[in-house]
Amino acid sequence: MKTATLSLTQLETRLFLREPMWLIFGLLFPSLLLLAMGFLFPGFDEPLPELDGERLIVVYTPTVIGLAMAMLSLMALPMTIASYREEGILRRMRTTPVHPARLLVAQVSTLAMVAVVGTAATIVVAALAFDVPLPESPVWFAVAFVMGLAAMLSLGLLVGAVSQTSTTAQVLGFALFFPMLFFAGVYVPRGIMSDSLTTISNLAPLGAAVQAMLDAWAGTTPSGQHLLVLGLYTAVFSVAAVRLFRWE
């Protein structure tokens, strides 16, 4: 017999697959962005002394994965929850035995599956198109990815929980999205950031996630500080989201 959470997750997955914009951004955009960077930007596939001889395309592969995490977590997730509230869907669900946490779990599960598929596609594209090596520590990469995704989705849940309308969710999501990209190394690679910026980036959820994935990619165990930061963010944001969640 299906549980309520499983039924909700299946429903949310079907609804997500009907939204071409989020489907493209979640599954295809990371790979397409990596292809564009590698083929259109000169020197992207060449070793750089500033990065200890590493190719920029190798450094940016985990960064692009982090960017996709941010898009799903800070844009798709809170806007969906807020639109349900705005359209009265949550109010109608209030009359059922469904607990708010079940809806949040269903949303998170759906986007997590999309993130996993999109990340796998990005890794395959990077390997085939640019000969980017696979993560040397796949287990630690999986740990870093899961913890990073959990932290970002928890933040997205919190934004959705406090946003009364989809417009509010969009504004708050964008307000968090662009600083997150900076700390993740999208605009300036983390390897050439100043010490002060690196320190701040290590305390940001997406910055910590990307650095943990970079470490695992290079065969190094991610720093305990980065994993601790991600764990703390996940705990705080998820608890706050459940407590602040309102049907109307």
Side-chain angles (χ1 to χ4, degrees):
M1 181 180 297
K2 292 182 180 179
T3 65
T5 302
L6 179 58
S7 298
L8 275 174
T9 301
Q10 292 176 336
L11 175 61
E12 291 298 327
T13 301
R14 288 196 294 269
L15 292 174
F16 182 88
L17 293 177
R18 294 176 185 174
E19 292 290 340
M21 181 180 70
W22 295 129
L23 194 60
I24 291 172
F25 277 115
L27 295 180
L28 300 179
F29 182 75
S31 299
L32 294 176
L33 179 60
L34 201 65
L35 288 171
M37 288 178 171
F39 287 124
L40 300 181
F41 289 84
F44 227 81
D45 197 22
E46 299 176 2
L48 292 179
E50 300 91 334
L51 299 175
D52 297 326
E54 186 60 88
R55 291 179 297 157
L56 200 55
I57 194 70
V58 175
V59 173
Y60 262 91
T61 301
T63 303
V64 167
I65 292 172
L67 183 151
M69 283 186 190
M71 294 182 68
L72 290 171
S73 301
L74 299 178
M75 297 169 68
L77 180 56
M79 287 180 63
T80 300
I81 295 175
S83 66
Y84 283 1
R85 181 180 294 110
E86 190 175 19
E87 294 167 8
I89 296 175
L90 297 184
R91 184 173 62 251
R92 291 193 292 272
M93 289 182 67
R94 189 180 184 182
T95 62
T96 72
V98 178
H99 190 275
R102 293 183 184 272
L103 178 62
L104 301 185
V105 170
Q107 286 282 334
V108 167
S109 299
T110 298
L111 294 182
M113 289 186 289
V114 173
V116 169
V117 175
T119 295
T122 302
I123 293 174
V124 170
V125 167
L128 294 179
F130 306 108
D131 197 28
V132 172
L134 298 177
E136 293 187 27
S137 297
V139 174
W140 277 116
F141 176 82
V143 170
F145 171 79
V146 170
M147 293 189 69
L149 182 61
M152 292 303 299
L153 286 173
S154 298
L155 177 57
L157 282 176
L158 180 57
V159 174
V162 300
S163 298
Q164 296 300 311
T165 66
S166 56
T167 300
T168 302
Q170 185 177 30
V171 171
L172 291 177
F174 272 113
L176 292 169
F177 180 72
F178 291 107
M180 288 289 178
L181 296 191
F182 177 81
F183 292 129
V186 172
Y187 309 126
V188 179
R190 286 179 53 86
I192 59 176
M193 283 185 179
S194 65
D195 292 341
S196 57
L197 280 179
T198 300
T199 300
I200 297 173
S201 176
N202 288 337
L203 297 176
L206 197 59
V210 168
Q211 187 57 54
M213 288 190 289
L214 282 168
D215 291 340
W217 211 292
T220 304
T221 301
S223 167
Q225 176 192 354
H226 297 139
L227 299 181
L228 178 61
V229 165
L230 294 175
L232 289 175
Y233 275 125
T234 301
V236 172
F237 291 151
S238 58
V239 170
V242 172
R243 289 185 176 276
L244 296 175
F245 186 86
R246 296 293 180 268
W247 291 108
E248 300 182 47

